[in-house]
Amino acid sequence: MRSAIFAAVAIARLAAAAPTPQQFDFAAVLDAPSPSATGPPLTVVANATSVFSVDTASIAASVSAEVTTVATASITGASASAASTQEPSSTGLAKRGPPPPPPPPPKTTTSSSTASSSKTTTSQQSTTSTTSSTSACPTTPEAGTYCGFINPEDPCAPQPDGDGPRVTPDTVAAFEAYPEFHSDALKAITPAGYVETFKDLNGSTSANSYITFKTLTSYSVSDCAKLCDNTTLCTAFNIYIERDPSLNPTLNDTAANTTGQYCPNPSSITNYKCSLWGSSIDATSATNYGDYREQFQLVIVASNGYDKTNNTTPAPCPGYEAPSNCTGAISSGGSYCLGSHFFPGPYDPSVCGIYAQAQTDTNKAAAKAKGQSTYVPSNMFNAYMVKKNSVAQGTYCSLFNTVLSSSWASFEGGWAGQNYFGIESSWTYALSQQDDGKL
């Protein structure tokens, strides 16, 4: 099963006006709107029938509508074509900064050597519509309901039953200390092709690079890895156990509840969750410790994180040569730079390709309108993931009118106030057929 990712609205918006071409634009990242979701919902869903997907047409339309300013580069033509053999000039921007101070570690709980119970490992897909997870429906259920046509958002409506054990006594403290949960996390075997980045935390990952999640029937790291391997843009996953309510928690508030149902703190159920990420993850990102639904407290335990070990080559972009890896970012393209934009969400160089084409089209149309014989094209872009204080933010795109050598990719991070901005997964894409900018 090949899963697609994230709605276009989460990544297609241009975050800010074009920055000064000579340097990384910290404000574009700081001021960018967050994606619509930065982690799995703190609700129970089961039997996924739909997944997030990239709507390329919508992204292209959105970017084309917003890229209306002509971008120029002061070095063009034959001079630009020689750039790949030239060394970049200094712009005064620090090429690297000191690492950020270590953040407070996420909460941990005591471990136990108690062995976990054996369960059949299967998975069910996440969704925005639900059906019963415990029995087959005698008829096809109405979309958004369980068997019996019970709306899961109704007061005190039964929620899909979790596959984990029922903890007794049914308290938060007992759930957090339950030996089997910590045994699952501590004894988990790191799957081939991955490296473990954190283990047995009481917080799950939260970041802009969230892709999707599944509810599993057991604490199966291998199933979670398979899901990541078969999901576009996935480079890391987080598996954890969550305390969820058995009923939709409801207060006896006549303004919001006219049914008379009252269950502010129902009994709990246990769910195994697997979330996927379009960036690396570490303990710094494990900041979701749960929440309250009315008087019911959701908590997270046994949270393990895994990154792919190889420097995963991103997918090719149509019309471009195979991507080339950089040790840093080209934040200073000098006179060859056409500008840059930031896209919150998972790391996705394809949005940079759309942005590059939109900028070339805008430049070409403006030149035609003025009766000019040449325009400034985008012939290469650099796409990289930006991290703020080690937490993924989104894809940063810089455009250039010629192919620059790897010696230009020298920026590895820097400070803006109290925030440290680092980068990862920096790749350049060059047009297969270079545009000479002639009309």
Side-chain angles (χ1 to χ4, degrees):
M1 185 270 296
R2 188 72 180 169
S3 177
I5 306 149
F6 241 89
V9 67
I11 57 177
R13 294 182 60 187
L14 295 181
T20 303
Q22 272 73 28
Q23 64 183 22
F24 175 82
D25 187 4
F26 296 98
V29 182
L30 288 169
D31 298 339
S34 295
S36 58
T38 57
L42 290 174
T43 56
V44 181
V45 291
N47 291 344
T49 57
S50 63
V51 293
F52 297 114
S53 62
V54 171
D55 187 343
T56 304
S58 294
I59 295 175
S62 176
V63 173
S64 297
E66 295 196 45
V67 179
T68 58
T69 302
V70 175
T72 62
S74 59
I75 299 180
T76 59
S79 297
S81 65
S84 62
T85 62
Q86 299 175 355
E87 291 296 319
S89 59
S90 174
T91 62
L93 180 68
K95 295 181 179 180
R96 71 173 72 213
K107 295 189 297 181
T108 59
T109 56
T110 57
S111 61
S112 169
S113 59
T114 304
S116 61
S117 60
S118 174
K119 302 185 69 174
T120 302
T121 302
T122 57
S123 64
Q124 52 193 22
Q125 188 177 346
S126 65
T127 184
T128 54
S129 62
T130 58
T131 56
S132 172
S133 64
T134 58
S135 62
C137 297
T139 59
T140 303
E142 181 181 356
T145 68
Y146 301 145
C147 295
F149 305 103
I150 299 173
N151 189 327
E153 296 183 357
D154 283 347
C156 298
Q159 306 295 286
D161 195 16
D163 287 291
R166 295 291 183 102
V167 176
T168 55
D170 191 1
T171 64
V172 168
F175 191 91
E176 290 181 330
Y178 196 67
E180 179 182 326
F181 297 155
H182 303 294
S183 177
D184 285 343
L186 294 170
K187 292 185 176 181
I189 298 174
T190 302
Y194 289 84
V195 61
E196 182 182 83
T197 58
F198 56 87
K199 181 190 286 287
D200 199 27
L201 299 183
N202 268 27
S204 63
T205 292
S206 179
N208 282 4
S209 56
Y210 171 66
I211 297 174
T212 190
F213 86 103
K214 276 191 177 182
T215 301
L216 307 177
T217 59
S218 68
Y219 195 91
S220 175
V221 174
S222 60
D223 272 11
C224 204
K226 289 176 184 177
L227 178 61
C228 183
D229 290 339
N230 292 323
T231 300
T232 306
L233 303 185
C234 182
T235 57
F237 68 87
N238 177 207
I239 186 170
Y240 57 95
I241 302 173
E242 186 174 284
R243 180 181 190 261
D244 290 315
S246 58
L247 304 175
N248 182 29
T250 306
L251 293 175
N252 190 17
D253 183 349
T254 55
N257 175 17
T258 59
T259 66
Q261 299 291 324
Y262 180 66
C263 56
N265 189 18
S267 61
S268 72
I269 56 177
T270 301
N271 277 290
Y272 302 102
K273 287 191 173 182
C274 166
S275 60
L276 307 185
W277 301 88
S279 70
S280 65
I281 60 174
D282 57 28
T284 306
S285 66
T287 57
N288 175 19
Y289 304 119
D291 203 350
Y292 278 88
R293 290 178 60 187
E294 304 303 353
Q295 297 174 12
F296 182 91
Q297 186 177 356
L298 292 90
V299 295
I300 292 163
V301 298
S303 179
N304 285 12
Y306 300 88
D307 283 348
K308 288 186 175 178
T309 54
N310 61 322
N311 194 353
T312 306
T313 303
C317 289
Y320 287 83
E321 296 178 355
S324 178
N325 188 228
C326 300
T327 56
I330 307 178
S331 70
S332 173
S335 299
Y336 305 106
C337 184
L338 277 72
S340 57
H341 274 296
F342 173 71
F343 297 84
Y347 178 63
D348 185 4
S350 70
V351 298
C352 298
I354 294 171
Y355 162 47
Q357 185 60 56
Q359 188 64 71
T360 294
D361 292 345
T362 295
N363 291 355
K364 183 184 294 186
K368 285 183 178 180
K370 294 179 180 180
Q372 298 172 343
S373 60
T374 62
Y375 60 93
V376 180
S378 174
N379 277 308
M380 187 191 88
F381 67 81
N382 180 205
Y384 53 94
M385 167 60 71
V386 176
K387 286 194 165 184
K388 184 178 75 174
N389 302 326
S390 299
V391 178
Q393 301 299 306
T395 307
Y396 197 97
C397 311
S398 296
L399 309 184
F400 307 95
N401 72 319
T402 191
V403 178
L404 299 178
S405 70
S406 59
S407 63
W408 290 78
S410 57
F411 178 67
E412 296 181 12
W415 289 91
Q418 299 300 310
N419 296 303
Y420 182 81
F421 291 85
I423 66 164
E424 69 177 28
S425 301
S426 179
W427 296 80
T428 57
Y429 289 75
L431 280 177
S432 300
Q433 297 293 327
Q434 291 284 291
D435 190 336
D436 61 9
K438 296 180 180 178
L439 291 172

